Amino acid sequence: MIGWDGASAAGRPRAGAATPVLLTAGEAAPEVQVVPATIRKWVQLGHLAPAGRRGRENLFRLEDVFRAERAVHRRTRDSVRVP
């Protein structure tokens, strides 16, 4: 049986399954042109959830960071509409 993450029931990655790259806030921030504090703020506000941890640092999937960035900018753009 294959799990949602592409791993087999035994926990081994399935052949050909891509393992997601996990980045710290400091590594992910330049990808969306923000500072690391913005990534941490998105977590506090519920726009982004960590995919894992390394020691005390949260780790994020880059696709999740891009999704959070689009959602935040969509909300900002929608709230500034001029009638």
Side-chain angles (χ1 to χ4, degrees):
M1 178 175 192
I2 304 298
W4 66 269
D5 61 354
S8 68
R12 292 182 305 275
R14 183 177 48 165
T19 38
V21 175
L22 299 178
L23 305 171
T24 64
E27 295 165 337
E31 298 293 330
V32 290
Q33 299 177 346
V34 298
V35 295
T38 301
I39 302 284
R40 292 189 292 273
K41 190 62 160 181
W42 290 347
V43 172
Q44 289 177 343
L45 296 173
H47 299 304
L48 179 63
R53 290 184 69 86
R54 182 181 350 154
R56 293 179 56 193
E57 289 186 299
N58 285 326
L59 299 174
F60 305 95
R61 288 183 199 95
L62 191 54
E63 65 189 62
D64 294 341
V65 175
F66 283 129
R67 189 176 300 117
E69 190 268 340
R70 283 192 306 270
V72 167
H73 282 108
R74 188 178 319 119
R75 285 187 187 110
T76 304
R77 187 178 59 240
D78 290 346
S79 66
V80 201
R81 287 193 178 172
V82 178

